[in-house]
Amino acid sequence: MFKGKNVLVMVTGSIAAYKATTLVRLLIKSGAQVRVGMTTSAQEFITSKTLSILSGQDVLTDLFIGHTSQVIHIEWARWADVIFVVPATANIIGKIANGIADDAVSATIIASSADKVIAPAMNDVMFHNPAVERNLEILKQDGWLVVEPVVGYLAEGYEASGRLPEPIDILQQADIRLRAKKGQLIGKKVVITAGGTKEALDPVRYLTNRSSGKMGYALARAAVEKGAEVKLVTTIDRENIFGVEKIIVSSTQEMFDVATHEFTDADIFIGAAAVSDFKPAKLAEHKIKKQADGGLQLTLVQNPDILKTIGFSKKDHQIVVGFAAETKEVIAYGTDKLVKKHADMLITNDVSNSDTGFSSDDNAVTILVPDQLPEALPKTTKIEIARAIITRIITLK
Ligand code: PMT
């Protein structure tokens, strides 16, 4: 999102000002060109020299120093594609909400039509002051993206809301929400399954597979980036993704119960989980002991088929997408599953390659849609594959 973008980071006077250094580093690492502005009070907490060295640019601290021919705040305001105000004090929030432009930071902000992100950080009583709440409401109405503070240890020595989120989380949230502003899935609910189901043998052992959940998480992220409400039904508890509700399950039966329930009012279902077709016929009450003959006979019975059940229950407006993990004749087996599971789209991936499919950060897939030619997506990161799949799903109806 920020790659190639001109990003202005405005730092104001909070104890959390030091976190702006990490934000600047992360933005530069992601490929953005970064400039920094600081209020006078921000410079009480961190020096402009630090941020100047990190950004490789002079830091804007004063409207009238060092510049002759250019109106500096107008030039910077025009240059910016995105402005971050991190951390934001009650003072700067009040100024922006009320159109006050009496220093370099507020004057630049008011002169810019860039996308704007603000992350308040202050004492909890200040944060809940009616004037601050009112001003933040105005900023939201004016199109500002407000990254809410989190509950945590404040400088005052107690736990409360008002703490600045970690810079990586601010960036992730800003990235998702800025993309979602123009998303074609606003107002749509997407249910996604991820991870390998676990079928318990006894209280300590289970049968499962090598799925890491990465493909499902990438799809969840790609769907929220398009503005969807996303429910991720997953056996693996990986990173939190802003806007994605994780529902952690374990067995196929649990995944089946949650996924079919969530699908009733959903618009799209994507089955990226590696679901176990079988489960032990009986769950041992106690840990299974070694047998006298050294072996163990297991009887397995069939699990419900989540994708097939959802595929055959879908209504006209609902889209159902499955995956097929194959090791040979990928297209033929995938086409067979597309039909048998009554899906609108099936994504095949060859899981015999160690650098794609299970657990890896990359994948290479072929998209199958009834009556259309297969569409191969060559090897790339799972998030890029997921974005391409979501874009393709949007074209289905
Ligand atoms: O999680 P990762 O490590 O990132 O790996 C990603 C992945 C390889 C697991 C993923 O890309 C993938 O291929 N998922 C589907 C794996 C699978 O179970 O394929 P299958 O061919 O066995 O099943 C076909 C489809 O039916 C799948 O959508 C599956 O979720 C669904 N299914 C299968 C059996 C069953 N009882 N219920 C189901 O819903």
Side-chain angles (χ1 to χ4, degrees):
M1 171 80 203
F2 302 110
K3 190 166 183 214
K5 291 275 164 69
N6 295 337
V7 180
L8 206 47
V9 177
M10 297 303 206
V11 187
T12 67
S14 153
I15 184 71
Y18 72 94
K19 288 191 181 173
T21 57
T22 309
L23 187 73
V24 168
R25 267 183 190 281
L26 288 171
L27 280 164
I28 289 172
K29 210 169 148 202
S30 76
Q33 291 91 43
V34 181
R35 291 183 187 175
V36 180
M38 296 177 83
T39 59
T40 309
S41 57
Q43 295 166 69
E44 296 289 330
F45 293 92
I46 174 175
T47 68
S48 60
K49 176 85 63 200
T50 307
L51 287 164
S52 170
I53 291 167
L54 283 176
S55 64
Q57 303 279 336
D58 287 342
V59 170
L60 179 70
T61 54
D62 195 303
L63 282 175
F64 306 105
I65 287 180
H67 293 275
T68 47
S69 60
Q70 282 181 327
V71 183
I72 185 71
H73 67 287
I74 300 295
E75 198 268 309
W76 277 47
R78 285 198 186 130
W79 173 86
D81 298 309
V82 186
I83 295 181
F84 280 86
V85 185
V86 179
T89 57
N91 186 48
I92 192 73
I93 292 166
K95 280 191 194 180
I96 302 168
N98 294 286
I100 296 168
D102 64 352
D103 64 5
V105 166
S106 54
T108 308
I109 289 169
I110 208 168
S112 179
S113 56
D115 285 323
K116 299 190 188 85
V117 182
I118 192 160
M122 65 195 77
N123 169 272
D124 57 321
V125 181
M126 288 174 82
F127 183 64
H128 292 297
N129 178 288
V132 175
E133 290 186 339
R134 205 164 47 237
N135 287 334
L136 277 171
E137 217 29 64
I138 292 173
L139 292 191
K140 286 177 192 169
Q141 283 163 19
D142 287 350
W144 279 77
L145 195 155
V146 178
V147 177
E148 298 290 342
V150 292
V151 175
Y153 195 73
L154 301 182
E156 293 79 357
Y158 57 87
E159 291 243 338
S161 68
R163 193 177 153 84
L164 189 73
E166 291 309 312
I168 185 93
D169 296 330
I170 295 174
L171 270 193
Q172 189 216 56
Q173 193 182 136
D175 184 10
I176 288 172
R177 290 175 64 189
L178 288 174
R179 287 175 195 261
K181 276 202 329 193
K182 302 150 205 149
Q184 297 104 311
L185 293 181
I186 290 171
K188 304 280 183 202
K189 175 177 172 183
V190 179
V191 180
I192 298 170
T193 63
T197 55
K198 297 170 184 167
E199 307 301 340
L201 284 171
D202 65 21
V204 294
R205 303 183 179 99
Y206 54 75
L207 302 174
T208 191
N209 57 64
R210 293 194 296 116
S211 171
S212 63
K214 286 179 185 173
M215 193 65 239
Y217 274 68
L219 286 157
R221 172 149 187 165
V224 278
E225 284 175 2
K226 292 284 182 193
E229 171 203 349
V230 177
K231 303 269 177 156
L232 181 61
V233 189
T234 174
T235 61
I236 315 248
D237 196 359
R238 300 183 66 85
E239 76 276 10
N240 292 326
I241 304 170
F242 182 82
V244 173
E245 186 189 333
K246 285 189 277 186
I247 305 171
I248 309 292
V249 294
S250 182
S251 67
T252 299
Q253 186 62 52
E254 279 173 29
M255 185 175 275
F256 177 91
D257 292 344
V258 176
T260 51
H261 172 72
E262 290 294 342
F263 182 64
T264 52
D265 62 349
D267 300 281
I268 298 168
F269 172 80
I270 309 174
V275 182
S276 172
D277 288 317
F278 303 100
K279 65 177 177 184
K282 165 163 125 349
L283 171 62
E285 194 184 338
H286 298 287
K287 186 179 170 193
I288 300 168
K289 295 291 173 201
K290 281 185 187 158
Q291 311 294 304
D293 64 0
L296 175 66
Q297 293 276 339
L298 281 180
T299 305
L300 301 178
V301 294
Q302 214 168 7
N303 260 327
D305 191 313
I306 305 165
L307 179 63
K308 192 170 176 185
T309 305
I310 284 176
F312 277 91
S313 74
K314 72 182 154 87
K315 303 188 185 73
D316 278 353
H317 74 280
Q318 292 177 306
I319 297 172
V320 173
V321 179
F323 270 72
E326 307 292 352
T327 53
K328 62 172 189 171
E329 295 181 55
V330 174
I331 304 290
Y333 286 140
T335 307
D336 189 48
K337 282 178 184 166
L338 177 69
V339 175
K340 284 196 175 138
K341 304 211 183 199
H342 213 236
D344 298 292
M345 180 187 282
L346 203 115
I347 316 294
T348 65
N349 41 196
D350 185 342
V351 288
S352 58
N353 294 326
S354 61
D355 57 348
T356 56
F358 284 117
S359 296
S360 88
D361 290 335
D362 297 330
N363 210 355
V365 304
T366 302
I367 299 178
L368 303 174
V369 174
D371 307 322
Q372 293 186 21
L373 288 173
E375 186 186 331
L377 299 180
K379 185 180 157 193
T380 182
T381 57
K382 281 185 175 163
I383 184 62
E384 288 308 328
I385 294 279
R387 286 180 180 136
I389 291 170
I390 295 291
T391 301
R392 188 69 179 83
I393 290 172
I394 289 168
T395 66
L396 281 185
K397 286 205 174 153

